[in-house]
Amino acid sequence: MIDLLYETSIGLNDPNVLCIDVVFLDHSNAFDRVSFGLLLENLYTIGIIGQSLAIISSLLYGRNFYVIFKAVISVLVSIMSGVPQGGVCSALLFNIFVRNLALIIIFSKLFQYADDCALKKVIYSKSGQKELQQDLNNIQEWSLKNGLYLNAKKSVHLRFTFKKDLDINYYNINNETIPTKNSHKHLGITILLSFSEHTDNTVNSCLKKWGYLKKLCKYADSSVFLRLYKSYLLPLLEYANLCWVPNNSQCYQIESVERQVTKFICYKNGFCDISYEKRLESLNLDSIQMRRETNILIFVFKCIHNYKGVPNIWKNIFKTNDTKNG
C-alpha cells in the first residue's frame, strides 16, 4: 500500500502524465480454487521436495465435506481444490501458487498481497490505455489456465488525474466492463486523491463501536474502558498510518475520538474539566499524532539502517550523505 500510494502521488507530479489508472482485481473464491496439482508442481519447482512436499500434500488431500440442509445430511465428498480456510500456511501457499503472475505483466506494474491485486499504469497517451488493457487480457488468460476466476463486476477502476474533461477509457475483463469509481477500499484503506473519505469512515466506525461498548459495559470501571479502547478502537485509528497522511483538519478529526474516550474514562475516575494533555498523562497514553510520528520515525530508521523486509526503493529514498559536521 505504501508503494502504490507513493508511486501514484509521485507520478502525478509529471506534467506530461494524462492520468494514472489503477485497476483493483477480484479473484472470486481465490483460495478455494487453488489446484492441488499445480500448487505441488510450483512447490517442487522452488525446491520443496521429499518429506516436506509429502507433508504439504497430506495437508491438501484427504479432506472431506458435507452439507446439512433442514436436518438432512448429504453424502461425504472429497475436497479436490483449495487451501484450508484460516490455515497458518494457506496465505503462503497461495502466494507460491500465483508466484508467476507478475511475469506476464508487460506494460504495467502489479501490486499484490495474496489474492488482493492492483494493476497500475501511468498514462501518457491513449496507447497507454491499450497497453493496460493488454495486461488485463494477459491476467485473464493466466487466471483461466490456473483455474482462477477473475470477476469484472467486483473489480474496480480508479483514475487519478488533475486534468479536467479527460475521457474515461473503460477497461474490461472477458468483454465485461470493469466499473469505474471515484474511490475504493483496498486492504482497509479508502483510496482517493485526498483521504477525507477514509478519515470519515474510520472516525464514524470508531464512534459507533465506542457507543456500543459504553452501552454493553456501562457498569464497568475506568480500567476496563481503557483496555477496551486500546483493544478495539486504537488499532482502527492508527491502522496503516504509514500509508496515508491526513491534513490538519483530518488529524483533528481523528484525534477527537481519543479526546472523547479519555474524557469519558477520566470522568469515571472522578476527574472533570482537565485538559486533553493532562488526561493523556494520567492514562499513560500518547496522542494519535504522536503515535503516527513515532511510527514514521521508526520506519525511516529501518530504511536508513537497511532492515530486512524494507523494499530497496525506500532504502534509496532515505539515503543520507555525510556532512563536515557529521
Side-chain angles (χ1 to χ4, degrees):
M1 284 301 300
I2 295 176
D3 289 346
L4 175 59
L5 295 173
Y6 171 75
E7 292 190 20
T8 300
S9 61
I10 290 297
L12 291 174
N13 292 332
D14 188 345
N16 297 318
V17 171
L18 292 178
C19 63
I20 296 177
D21 282 345
V22 182
V23 178
F24 298 91
L25 301 171
D26 180 83
H27 282 101
S28 296
N29 301 319
F31 278 54
D32 293 332
R33 293 176 178 270
V34 173
S35 166
F36 293 163
L38 291 176
L39 174 57
L40 293 174
E41 184 179 323
N42 274 285
L43 290 167
Y44 183 84
T45 302
I46 65 174
I48 298 178
I49 58 175
Q51 189 174 3
S52 298
L53 188 62
I55 291 173
I56 296 175
S57 179
S58 67
L59 171 70
L60 299 174
Y61 288 100
R63 293 181 291 133
N64 303 305
F65 76 96
Y66 60 88
V67 177
I68 301 178
F69 180 71
K70 292 184 178 180
V72 179
I73 302 176
S74 71
V75 297
L76 204 63
V77 179
S78 297
I79 297 176
M80 299 308 298
S81 67
V83 291
Q85 288 290 336
V88 176
C89 299
S90 295
L92 177 59
L93 292 175
F94 184 84
N95 284 335
I96 294 173
F97 179 72
V98 298
R99 68 189 184 90
N100 293 324
L101 178 58
L103 301 179
I104 65 168
I105 307 300
I106 302 172
F107 305 105
S108 313
K109 184 167 182 179
L110 180 70
F111 297 85
Q112 187 177 11
Y113 184 83
D115 59 332
D116 292 298
C117 300
L119 202 62
K120 187 210 74 169
K121 173 68 176 174
V122 180
I123 307 296
Y124 293 94
S125 64
K126 288 189 176 181
S127 62
Q129 297 174 339
K130 294 179 180 179
E131 291 173 347
L132 177 54
Q133 181 60 59
Q134 180 60 51
D135 281 336
L136 287 171
N137 295 339
N138 293 341
I139 293 177
Q140 167 68 6
E141 184 179 348
W142 180 92
S143 299
L144 290 174
K145 287 182 179 178
N146 288 273
L148 299 179
Y149 174 69
L150 205 55
N151 192 334
K153 292 182 179 179
K154 290 188 177 181
S155 299
V156 173
H157 165 232
L158 291 188
R159 169 157 292 177
F160 300 93
T161 183
F162 293 129
K163 300 185 183 300
K164 297 180 180 180
D165 302 324
L166 190 65
D167 292 335
I168 294 180
N169 184 80
Y170 292 98
Y171 299 99
N172 66 82
I173 295 172
N174 197 23
N175 296 323
E176 196 169 358
T177 301
I178 299 173
T180 298
K181 297 184 179 181
N182 295 323
S183 63
H184 175 62
K185 191 172 185 179
H186 184 67
L187 298 177
I189 299 178
T190 304
I191 299 175
L192 196 62
L193 278 178
S194 69
F195 292 101
S196 56
E197 186 175 343
H198 179 72
T199 303
D200 291 340
N201 292 340
T202 300
V203 171
N204 291 336
S205 176
C206 287
L207 291 178
K208 286 180 182 178
K209 283 194 174 185
W210 180 238
Y212 177 75
L213 290 171
K214 285 195 295 183
K215 289 182 180 179
L216 187 66
C217 309
K218 59 182 177 180
Y219 298 114
D221 59 22
S222 59
S223 62
V224 171
F225 278 105
L226 182 59
R227 289 198 296 270
L228 288 172
Y229 169 67
K230 290 181 178 179
S231 300
Y232 292 102
L233 269 66
L234 189 56
L236 294 179
L237 290 172
E238 60 180 9
Y239 172 74
N241 57 8
L242 291 175
C243 298
W244 61 288
V245 182
N247 57 33
N248 290 335
S249 63
Q250 291 164 358
C251 285
Y252 184 83
Q253 191 178 354
I254 295 168
E255 205 76 45
S256 66
V257 177
E258 191 164 81
R259 289 177 183 272
Q260 289 189 37
V261 172
T262 54
K263 189 174 183 179
F264 177 85
I265 295 175
C266 286
Y267 180 80
K268 280 268 187 181
N269 282 333
F271 298 105
C272 302
D273 299 326
I274 61 175
S275 67
Y276 179 49
E277 290 72 20
K278 289 290 185 182
R279 297 199 299 268
L280 291 176
E281 184 178 349
S282 65
L283 298 175
N284 195 26
L285 287 173
D286 290 324
S287 67
I288 303 299
Q289 181 66 20
M290 176 64 73
R291 293 174 67 90
R292 178 189 298 278
E293 292 173 356
T294 301
N295 286 338
I296 292 173
L297 289 174
I298 292 172
F299 179 71
V300 172
F301 179 87
K302 289 181 177 180
C303 291
I304 293 173
H305 294 278
N306 296 320
Y307 272 53
K308 287 184 178 180
V310 177
N312 290 328
I313 181 176
W314 291 99
K315 293 177 183 178
N316 295 332
I317 289 174
F318 292 109
K319 276 185 177 178
T320 56
N321 296 319
D322 292 334
T323 64
K324 292 181 180 179
N325 296 327

